[in-house]
Amino acid sequence: MRLTQWTDYSLRVLMYCAASAQREQPATIGEIAEAHGISRSHLTKIVMTLSGLGLLETTRGRGGGLRLLKPAQAIVLGEVVRQTESDFTLVECFDAAHNTCRLDGHCRLKGALGLAMERYLEVLDGLTLADLVAPMETAPGERTVHRLRLVPGLPGPPVGPIRRPRVSAHGKSR
């Protein structure tokens, strides 16, 4: 499944606000738009929707900005995706009103994709916004590569050694 740009940007706004929750000044639409290279006007529409869903508090004027209405631990990712995604019709046979597939009822694709969608949302239901912005941990002795551009207000990369895959003379990872 592929998330729409609307949901992607909605999650980015919520994550940015969660990561900025301890700041004195709330995050602003302009700041988030610049950090992610997103149109400010498009982001404004998304913020208004998130506010209407009871996820964000918006304050206008000097000192205003965006804050989460609930703690990040109480915002379940699966619920956000269900509220911001417009269409979960993976294939034509999912939509009874527009289904013209001649194999409907004679193949198992619909059932398999339906189960995959359930599991996908089940995984997202097990994650909160706080999980998404928690510092990433590395196992003891593990080295990881970080190619993150630091964004003001967001947590920095985890501290630790960098992991680089070993490559053989034939160009294959070991």
Side-chain angles (χ1 to χ4, degrees):
M1 166 162 190
R2 182 178 178 148
L3 296 177
T4 60
Q5 192 177 61
W6 185 272
T7 299
D8 179 17
Y9 291 173
S10 295
L11 293 172
R12 291 186 201 195
V13 167
L14 293 172
M15 290 168 62
Y16 199 99
C17 290
S20 304
Q22 301 305 316
R23 294 185 345 191
E24 187 175 320
Q25 287 294 113
T28 65
I29 291 174
E31 169 185 343
I32 297 170
E34 184 178 329
H36 290 289
I38 302 170
S39 157
R40 185 183 169 110
S41 63
H42 189 57
L43 211 52
T44 299
K45 294 173 192 173
I46 290 169
V47 165
M48 296 312 296
T49 297
L50 294 173
S51 176
L53 292 172
L55 297 171
L56 285 181
E57 171 187 41
T58 61
T59 308
R60 293 181 148 199
R62 181 172 286 227
L66 314 170
R67 292 212 189 267
L68 296 176
L69 272 175
K70 302 183 213 178
Q73 302 89 325
I75 299 175
V76 177
L77 192 58
E79 292 173 12
V80 174
V81 169
R82 283 180 187 88
Q83 291 174 325
T84 57
E85 275 299 305
S86 58
D87 186 10
F88 286 96
T89 305
L90 293 180
V91 289
E92 181 182 335
C93 58
F94 276 39
D95 183 0
H98 298 99
N99 183 14
T100 60
C101 180
R102 293 177 187 214
L103 296 174
D104 192 23
H106 301 286
C107 83
R108 296 184 182 174
L109 179 62
K110 184 177 183 177
L113 290 176
L115 180 60
M117 176 65 72
E118 285 177 30
R119 298 271 168 81
Y120 173 79
L121 291 170
E122 193 177 292
V123 168
L124 297 180
D125 286 338
L127 295 168
T128 67
L129 190 57
D131 296 326
L132 300 181
V133 297
M136 295 180 65
E137 298 178 17
T138 56
E142 182 179 346
R143 297 171 31 196
T144 56
V145 175
H146 299 286
R147 292 187 180 96
L148 298 176
R149 183 173 57 97
L150 297 179
V151 177
L154 294 181
V159 179
I162 296 174
R163 180 180 176 208
R164 293 189 175 96
R166 294 182 188 172
V167 179
S168 70
H170 303 294
K172 295 183 181 176
S173 296
R174 294 190 275 165

